[in-house]
Amino acid sequence: MTRIGIGQIEPRIMDIDHNLQQLKDILRQATKAEVEVLVLPELANSGYAFDTMEEVEESAESIPKGAYSKQLIRWSRNGRMVVAGINEKFDEQYFNSAGIFAEGNLLDIYRKVHLFNKEKQWFSPGPIEPPVVEFLGHKFGVMICWDWAFPEMARILALKGARMILHPANLVLKYCQRAMETRALENGVFTATANRIGNERKLTFSGKSQITNTKGKVLLSIPDEETGVSYVDIDLPIADRKKLTKMNHLLKDRRPDIYRRLIES
Amino acid sequence: MTRIGIGQIEPRIMDIDHNLQQLKDILRQATKAEVEVLVLPELANSGYAFDTMEEVEESAESIPKGAYSKQLIRWSRNGRMVVAGINEKFDEQYFNSAGIFAEGNLLDIYRKVHLFNKEKQWFSPGPIEPPVVEFLGHKFGVMICWDWAFPEMARILALKGARMILHPANLVLKYCQRAMETRALENGVFTATANRIGNERKLTFSGKSQITNTKGKVLLSIPDEETGVSYVDIDLPIADRKKLTKMNHLLKDRRPDIYRRLIES
């Protein structure tokens, strides 16, 4: 069994010190709870509702050299993994990224492919498909928030062998949590969505961070107004059972020969 | 507005006469209700739970020359469209097909691509992507039952311009109805799933035929034990509004450049 935790937090826009302090608190909770794999929300270091490009630039950090990343790396020592959303400066561009850290190392960076609304003004879209990393013998896929609306993303992660999708989010619409049940079911993967709460400028974030099993059943849902770490112990190899009936394999029954339209632009 | 009807029926395995009589009853109801587009369940002419290949062969018909097809064509005169699941004999093969008839003509035949469980013993899988047809100035896509589990299918139909997905089904698992809400939402299309009820041999069919709007809201759900036609009047061009936010278009925001893995076998 692997202990999967999701941290529901309330970052403040442009308040780097507050956000770092909040991170320390949440990591302490995760340590106490003996969480092995922790997921934190999108843009956890900076907050979300930017007004200007200058704000984006001021609150960005490089991965893994920034202060937020360093805390995450430090926590990840002693056999732990953590995925967190970070406003990232890279190569003179800004990305809505997820840093993936394990055992004191940076494993990978995912740069969000599908940008939501005003994010298009602030961030460059990610240039490549989402990553799958290995930890404790299990493969984990990572996507960010609005990627949920594109079934292509969870599918790509499942095809790359992910047993679980780790999903930092800052949700303002109400649709994601239900849709993630379908993402889990159609791919036979576990999912963990870490959402934030609170208000920033005109936006309200919806909480209800959740973990689902491979049949789309919600195993854990954190109430709207709470912050903190919640966790479930999960038998991840269950995700290798892709047969929904004796003769139906969720991935092998796919028909790539007729899906060509999906990659035509 | 277009009046979309779904017919929930109870075919009997290998009882062609009963199934034809039931069709006549349901078409009469649809006429009385002034339905313009009618969806009927999968394998409505033959029943579902075959025991032998001989049963499949005996109960199959050609489209549009078979008795079931002829009834559907006749009903479709006077400005109507109907989609129904048919056990089809074609070119010395058997397909789990949907006949699409409008205004007295055969518009297209969809041959099910993703076969469910024992269907693999009886039917050849469809060789091409699912079709979109035009009727009353609207585009309609067609897929059958278990195709719901493959997000690629509804996506292909949306990319081909379908405003609504017409979805004959014979559901035995409990997952489809919820998943279709996600199919609607992620593609911004209306959906109409016509399911059957009753028992055949060891299988029980789950009813709950449903119509959803483009946000995945269930507009109509027929109770488990009922047969009959229910309908909703739908403003189909709403499905052309693919923007979920000012800056997010459900289809144009796709990133075919990074989806290549979806067509690798």
Side-chain angles (χ1 to χ4, degrees), chain A residues 102-121:
Chain A
E103 298 179 307
N105 299 303
L106 172 65
L107 287 194
D108 210 337
I109 299 170
Y110 167 59
R111 299 188 170 107
K112 190 178 183 183
V113 163
H114 301 95
L115 298 171
F116 184 74
N117 218 2
K118 285 193 178 176
E119 295 170 31
K120 293 185 182 189
Q121 297 178 330

Side-chain angles (χ1 to χ4, degrees), chain A residues 100-157:
Chain A
I100 309 166
F101 309 95
E103 298 179 307
N105 299 303
L106 172 65
L107 287 194
D108 210 337
I109 299 170
Y110 167 59
R111 299 188 170 107
K112 190 178 183 183
V113 163
H114 301 95
L115 298 171
F116 184 74
N117 218 2
K118 285 193 178 176
E119 295 170 31
K120 293 185 182 189
Q121 297 178 330
W122 318 130
F123 297 110
S124 301
I128 57 168
E129 68 174 18
V132 165
V133 298
E134 200 159 330
F135 178 63
L136 300 178
H138 308 293
K139 288 184 175 169
F140 295 88
V142 176
M143 62 185 201
I144 299 177
C145 203
W146 180 235
D147 286 330
W148 71 260
F150 300 84
E152 292 87 350
M153 295 297 275
R155 186 62 114 195
I156 286 170
L157 294 172

Side-chain angles (χ1 to χ4, degrees), chain A residues 35-212:
Chain A
V35 165
E36 294 173 275
V37 175
L38 177 65
V39 191
L40 296 176
E42 183 182 13
L43 295 176
N45 66 322
S46 60
Y48 184 87
F50 303 109
D51 264 345
T52 64
M53 193 63 210
E54 288 67 36
E55 288 186 348
V56 176
E57 293 171 10
E58 267 177 49
S59 61
E61 71 172 50
S62 74
I63 303 174
K65 290 192 176 163
Y68 210 85
S69 297
K70 277 185 182 162
Q71 285 294 331
L72 294 166
I73 287 186
R74 186 170 309 146
W75 183 80
S76 77
R77 292 176 194 153
N78 303 317
R80 299 182 190 126
M81 180 164 91
V82 57
V83 175
I86 293 175
N87 170 6
E88 184 202 12
K89 180 176 185 181
F90 173 71
D91 201 17
E92 299 309 310
Q93 294 180 79
Y94 296 85
F95 292 94
N96 182 337
S97 296
I100 309 166
F101 309 95
E103 298 179 307
N105 299 303
L106 172 65
L107 287 194
D108 210 337
I109 299 170
Y110 167 59
R111 299 188 170 107
K112 190 178 183 183
V113 163
H114 301 95
L115 298 171
F116 184 74
N117 218 2
K118 285 193 178 176
E119 295 170 31
K120 293 185 182 189
Q121 297 178 330
W122 318 130
F123 297 110
S124 301
I128 57 168
E129 68 174 18
V132 165
V133 298
E134 200 159 330
F135 178 63
L136 300 178
H138 308 293
K139 288 184 175 169
F140 295 88
V142 176
M143 62 185 201
I144 299 177
C145 203
W146 180 235
D147 286 330
W148 71 260
F150 300 84
E152 292 87 350
M153 295 297 275
R155 186 62 114 195
I156 286 170
L157 294 172
L159 289 171
K160 290 173 86 167
R163 287 176 170 166
M164 183 164 206
I165 294 176
L166 309 178
H167 183 216
N170 275 191
L171 299 164
V172 290
L173 303 179
K174 65 189 173 177
Y175 304 112
C176 170
Q177 286 86 345
R178 288 282 295 266
M180 287 303 290
E181 300 173 27
T182 302
R183 296 288 168 263
L185 175 68
E186 69 202 13
N187 292 297
V189 296
F190 294 92
T191 73
T193 300
N195 191 19
R196 60 164 290 174
I197 65 166
N199 301 292
E200 274 184 10
R201 294 165 177 168
K202 286 180 185 167
L203 293 179
T204 300
F205 301 93
S206 61
K208 297 195 187 65
S209 298
Q210 73 180 17
I211 292 177
T212 74

Side-chain angles (χ1 to χ4, degrees), chain A residues 114-115 117 120 126 129 146 152 155 178 181-183 186 247-248 253-255 259 261-262, chain B residues 114-115 117 120 126 129 152 155 178 181-183 186 247-248 253-255 259 261-262:
Chain A
H114 301 95
L115 298 171
N117 218 2
K120 293 185 182 189
E129 68 174 18
W146 180 235
E152 292 87 350
R155 186 62 114 195
R178 288 282 295 266
E181 300 173 27
T182 302
R183 296 288 168 263
E186 69 202 13
M247 298 174 74
N248 286 104
D253 279 3
R254 295 176 70 249
R255 291 284 305 278
Y259 298 159
R261 189 177 295 270
L262 297 177
Chain B
H114 301 94
L115 297 172
N117 218 2
K120 293 186 182 189
E129 68 174 18
E152 292 87 351
R155 186 62 113 197
R178 287 282 294 267
E181 300 173 29
T182 302
R183 297 288 168 261
E186 68 202 13
M247 298 175 75
N248 286 103
D253 278 4
R254 294 177 71 248
R255 292 283 304 278
Y259 298 159
R261 189 178 295 270
L262 298 177

Side-chain angles (χ1 to χ4, degrees), chain A residues 20-33 38 40 68 70-76 80 82 229:
Chain A
L20 260 178
Q21 191 52 54
Q22 189 177 53
L23 176 64
K24 287 176 190 170
D25 291 347
I26 210 86
L27 292 177
R28 257 193 298 272
Q29 288 182 46
T31 301
K32 202 171 162 193
L38 177 65
L40 296 176
Y68 210 85
K70 277 185 182 162
Q71 285 294 331
L72 294 166
I73 287 186
R74 186 170 309 146
W75 183 80
S76 77
R80 299 182 190 126
V82 57
V229 171

Side-chain angles (χ1 to χ4, degrees), chain B residues 4-52:
Chain B
I4 310 291
I6 42 180
Q8 185 161 291
I9 56 179
E10 185 174 359
R12 287 187 199 151
I13 181 74
M14 301 304 297
D15 193 343
I16 305 295
D17 289 342
H18 167 86
N19 297 342
L20 260 177
Q21 191 52 54
Q22 189 177 50
L23 175 64
K24 287 176 190 170
D25 291 347
I26 211 86
L27 293 177
R28 257 193 299 271
Q29 288 182 46
T31 302
K32 202 171 162 192
E34 298 183 7
V35 165
E36 295 172 275
V37 175
L38 178 66
V39 191
L40 296 176
E42 183 182 12
L43 295 176
N45 66 320
S46 59
Y48 184 85
F50 303 110
D51 264 344
T52 65

Side-chain angles (χ1 to χ4, degrees), chain B:
Chain B
M1 301 289 267
T2 307
R3 183 159 294 183
I4 310 291
I6 42 180
Q8 185 161 291
I9 56 179
E10 185 174 359
R12 287 187 199 151
I13 181 74
M14 301 304 297
D15 193 343
I16 305 295
D17 289 342
H18 167 86
N19 297 342
L20 260 177
Q21 191 52 54
Q22 189 177 50
L23 175 64
K24 287 176 190 170
D25 291 347
I26 211 86
L27 293 177
R28 257 193 299 271
Q29 288 182 46
T31 302
K32 202 171 162 192
E34 298 183 7
V35 165
E36 295 172 275
V37 175
L38 178 66
V39 191
L40 296 176
E42 183 182 12
L43 295 176
N45 66 320
S46 59
Y48 184 85
F50 303 110
D51 264 344
T52 65
M53 193 63 210
E54 288 67 36
E55 288 186 347
V56 177
E57 293 170 12
E58 267 177 48
S59 61
E61 71 173 52
S62 74
I63 304 175
K65 290 191 176 163
Y68 210 85
S69 297
K70 277 185 182 163
Q71 285 294 332
L72 294 165
I73 287 186
R74 186 171 309 145
W75 183 80
S76 78
R77 292 177 193 154
N78 304 318
R80 299 183 190 124
M81 181 163 89
V82 58
V83 175
I86 294 174
N87 170 6
E88 183 203 12
K89 180 176 185 180
F90 173 71
D91 202 17
E92 299 310 310
Q93 295 181 77
Y94 296 85
F95 292 94
N96 181 337
S97 296
I100 310 166
F101 309 94
E103 297 179 307
N105 300 304
L106 172 66
L107 288 193
D108 211 336
I109 298 170
Y110 166 58
R111 299 188 170 108
K112 191 179 185 182
V113 163
H114 301 94
L115 297 172
F116 184 73
N117 218 2
K118 285 194 178 176
E119 295 170 32
K120 293 186 182 189
Q121 297 178 329
W122 318 130
F123 298 110
S124 301
I128 57 168
E129 68 174 18
V132 165
V133 299
E134 198 158 331
F135 178 64
L136 300 179
H138 307 293
K139 288 184 175 167
F140 295 88
V142 176
M143 62 185 200
I144 298 177
C145 202
W146 180 236
D147 286 329
W148 71 260
F150 300 83
E152 292 87 351
M153 296 297 276
R155 186 62 113 197
I156 286 169
L157 293 173
L159 289 170
K160 291 172 86 168
R163 286 176 170 167
M164 182 164 204
I165 293 176
L166 309 178
H167 183 215
N170 274 191
L171 298 164
V172 291
L173 303 179
K174 64 188 175 179
Y175 305 113
C176 170
Q177 286 87 346
R178 287 282 294 267
M180 287 303 291
E181 300 173 29
T182 302
R183 297 288 168 261
L185 175 68
E186 68 202 13
N187 292 298
V189 295
F190 294 92
T191 72
T193 299
N195 191 18
R196 60 164 290 174
I197 65 166
N199 302 292
E200 274 184 10
R201 293 165 178 168
K202 287 179 184 168
L203 293 179
T204 301
F205 301 93
S206 60
K208 298 194 186 67
S209 298
Q210 73 180 17
I211 292 178
T212 75
N213 73 8
T214 61
K215 294 287 192 288
K217 186 182 165 196
V218 176
L219 301 176
L220 168 69
S221 175
I222 308 182
D224 288 25
E225 298 304 318
E226 283 182 20
T227 59
V229 171
S230 297
Y231 63 83
V232 183
D233 292 333
I234 291 185
D235 185 15
L236 288 163
I238 286 175
D240 299 345
R241 301 180 199 159
K242 298 295 188 198
K243 287 196 163 181
L244 227 60
T245 73
K246 266 190 193 171
M247 298 175 75
N248 286 103
H249 189 286
L250 287 171
L251 299 183
K252 290 182 186 164
D253 278 4
R254 294 177 71 248
R255 292 283 304 278
D257 58 313
I258 71 146
Y259 298 159
R260 202 158 178 90
R261 189 178 295 270
L262 298 177
I263 65 149
E264 290 167 5
S265 49

